[in-house]
Amino acid sequence: MLNNTLFTIISALTEADTTNYRLVLHPSHDIFQSHFIDNPILPGACIVQIAKELAQESCRNKVLNEGKSFLDDGKSFLITKIKNTKFLAVINPSEHSEITVIIKLTFQEDGYVAVSALFLDAGLIFAKANLVLQPTPIADITTSSAQIP
């Protein structure tokens, strides 16, 4: 998890299935120290992971008509498909210590969640990503991750 280590959520505003998150990036994080020395850039893999974590946060806050959360505490998301990603500008935490991430969720009939993510600041678009996520018990994710060679 990158939340509260690489970044911190400082605000979230939800309207229907779209949430605007304001994040502060932590330039002292090890990722920025090694990617790249003296020129910190947020890696693309971290951008995808942040989109997943924010979608997860949005789903935990999404209350269904039975009063339950869409994603309960025993589940997490597994990225099943990255439809596309576009990296349009580098995110350097020294130049952009705060960014906005807009997460739009589409709940599919098969139980999966389509996510559209937009990373921006002051009109500058850094990245766009479209993912498909599968709610999965945390124990299953841990087990499957341990089996990767």
Side-chain angles (χ1 to χ4, degrees):
M1 299 256 324
L2 300 177
N3 190 8
N4 295 321
T5 60
L6 180 69
F7 71 93
T8 302
I9 300 169
I10 54 176
S11 68
L13 178 61
T14 301
E15 189 173 308
D17 290 331
T18 301
T19 303
N20 289 2
Y21 288 96
R22 191 72 180 157
L23 310 180
V24 62
L25 301 173
H26 302 294
S28 61
H29 192 279
D30 288 345
I31 287 174
F32 291 125
Q33 302 307 309
S34 58
H35 192 268
F36 297 95
I37 298 171
D38 297 327
N39 188 23
I41 296 172
L42 185 64
C46 292
I47 290 172
V48 171
Q49 178 67 23
I50 290 170
K52 176 193 156 211
E53 289 185 24
L54 294 178
Q56 194 164 280
E57 180 76 16
S58 293
C59 284
R60 288 203 195 291
N61 294 328
K62 176 79 173 171
V63 177
L64 302 176
N65 51 6
E66 304 91 40
K68 295 184 346 185
S69 168
F70 176 81
L71 191 68
D72 64 30
D73 288 336
K75 291 187 178 178
S76 184
F77 276 133
L78 188 64
I79 298 173
T80 58
K81 186 176 195 177
I82 299 175
K83 289 185 174 182
N84 62 42
T85 54
K86 292 182 182 181
F87 304 108
L88 304 167
V90 297
I91 302 174
N92 180 327
S94 302
E95 297 171 6
H96 300 276
S97 61
E98 292 185 13
I99 62 171
T100 297
V101 182
I102 301 170
I103 298 291
K104 180 172 180 3
L105 305 174
T106 303
F107 299 92
Q108 301 176 342
E109 289 182 18
D110 59 5
Y112 288 59
V113 179
V115 178
S116 175
L118 181 65
F119 290 72
L120 64 143
D121 185 43
L124 175 62
I125 298 174
F126 298 112
K128 300 176 181 181
N130 290 291
L131 316 170
V132 177
L133 306 176
Q134 175 186 11
T136 306
I138 293 172
D140 290 353
I141 294 172
T142 306
T143 304
S144 64
S145 297
Q147 295 173 358
I148 297 173

